[in-house]
Amino acid sequence: MTGVILAVAAGALIGLALGALGGGGSVLAVPALIYLLGFGPVGATTAALVIVALTSATALAAHAREGQVRWRTGLLFAAAGVLPAILGGALAAHVPGALLTAAFAVVAGAAAVCMLRCRRRAEAAGAVRPGRAVAAGAGLGGVTGFVGVGGGFLAVPALVQVLGMRMRAAVGTSLLVITVNSLAALASRAGTVADLDWAVVGPFTGVAVLGASAGKRLGARVSGDALQRIFAVVLLAVAAFMLVDAVA
């Protein structure tokens, strides 16, 4: 019963992050699954992909209804990451748990530092260069598959900084990228999905889906910069804890 309560609480937080920021769900879900719910690193990253794929797909529909998804750019970005995501997922199954945890912590820490220090490009709706979208998408896909994240916490900065997309459109488009990348990474881990503790993963996912709707409303009322800074500080603390734990 305690596990279900913790799963519900964590799911609400993950849903809020995805709905408000267009990312950050899996980067919080993985440590929650490991340290609060007792999952191993491989099981946690697989469960996180399931949770985030379903939550992102639901949130994507809401953003699409408001015209805040750039489908052509998002699909190009996501398609470039499908093969790297599958390869990264296959590789992760053969990597020691401690190394996988450390890699996750390093990626999360780097993303947090970028959120705090990198300046956004001016929000201008210029033409997107396909080469840039493919390169950024492929890199993100590899990271998604290997460390078991949807990649939204990296996709949003990439869509804004590399492709010059407006922030609201980047949030919506990132949900498309997260959904595709998560499903691609799950395809390489299909044999481990049935072994998940669905009594925990089910409630976790259900509450995350509901939380995403609330997060979308929160994102419309609170400054995007303020939300991003708060999330970055939390992310940096989580990354530091996981890195210490992995090398201890």
Side-chain angles (χ1 to χ4, degrees), residues 2-32:
T2 302
V4 174
I5 293 173
L6 290 172
V8 167
L13 180 60
I14 273 68
L16 282 170
L18 278 167
L21 299 170
S26 51
V27 82
L28 295 177
V30 170

Side-chain angles (χ1 to χ4, degrees), residues 131-247:
R132 285 188 175 184
V134 169
L140 182 66
V143 172
T144 293
F146 185 67
V147 299
V149 297
F153 69 106
L154 296 174
V156 172
L159 291 169
V160 173
Q161 307 250 1
V162 178
L163 303 183
M165 193 174 289
R166 291 184 173 131
M167 187 62 188
R168 283 178 62 82
V171 169
T173 305
S174 75
L175 292 166
L176 171 61
V177 176
I178 294 167
T179 302
V180 174
N181 280 353
S182 297
L183 291 174
L186 275 172
S188 65
R189 303 186 184 202
T192 65
V193 172
D195 298 328
L196 295 177
D197 185 354
W198 288 99
V200 172
V201 175
F204 199 131
T205 305
V207 175
V209 168
L210 295 175
S213 177
K216 183 177 180 298
R217 292 193 294 270
L218 178 65
R221 296 181 180 182
V222 181
S223 162
D225 285 332
L227 284 171
Q228 183 167 294
R229 283 194 296 271
I230 293 169
F231 178 76
V233 170
V234 173
L235 182 57
L236 193 58
V238 169
F241 176 81
M242 292 185 73
L243 187 58
V244 170
D245 181 66
V247 302

Side-chain angles (χ1 to χ4, degrees), residues 36-48:
L36 296 180
L37 299 168
F39 281 60
V42 175
T45 53
T46 302

